[in-house]
Amino acid sequence: VEIFYSDNFIQGSLPEPLPSLESLRVLDMDKNKIEGTLPDFSKDFPELRVLKLSNQGAGNKGGLAGPIPESFANLGFLRELHLSNN
């Protein structure tokens, strides 16, 4: 399963816990207005290969903040992680 929500003006924070979608392989949410910290993707998306969450802030406002959760080390299939410009 691949989900592409790039450049859709999505606002707010990512829910925690995330809805489980074990077969999700690509989550592309670049260029939105998502705020807050990164949730634990490893429990709900164990097959995740590509995660794109770049460019969430409008200028210097909003965007993702905080450390990358240690649980990302459990994403054994993850090949691309895009978190720039947050």
Side-chain angles (χ1 to χ4, degrees):
V1 175
E2 298 179 354
I3 296 176
F4 296 92
Y5 288 133
S6 183
D7 209 7
N8 275 300
F9 305 103
I10 297 170
Q11 296 183 17
S13 59
L14 293 171
E16 205 168 340
L18 293 164
S20 184
L21 188 56
E22 292 182 9
S23 60
L24 183 68
R25 296 190 178 189
V26 175
L27 179 59
D28 183 348
M29 296 184 74
D30 279 350
K31 299 177 187 171
N32 285 291
K33 295 187 181 198
I34 298 170
E35 298 179 330
T37 59
L38 288 171
D40 180 1
F41 286 89
S42 66
K43 288 187 268 182
D44 302 306
F45 308 135
E47 301 289 321
L48 192 63
R49 287 168 168 71
V50 177
L51 177 59
K52 294 184 177 184
L53 292 170
S54 296
N55 303 304
Q56 297 302 323
N60 290 330
K61 299 177 184 175
L64 297 169
I68 297 172
E70 290 182 23
S71 61
F72 273 45
N74 298 327
L75 291 167
F77 294 105
L78 190 66
R79 298 295 177 255
E80 292 183 38
L81 177 61
H82 302 257
L83 299 173
S84 63
N85 296 320
N86 279 293

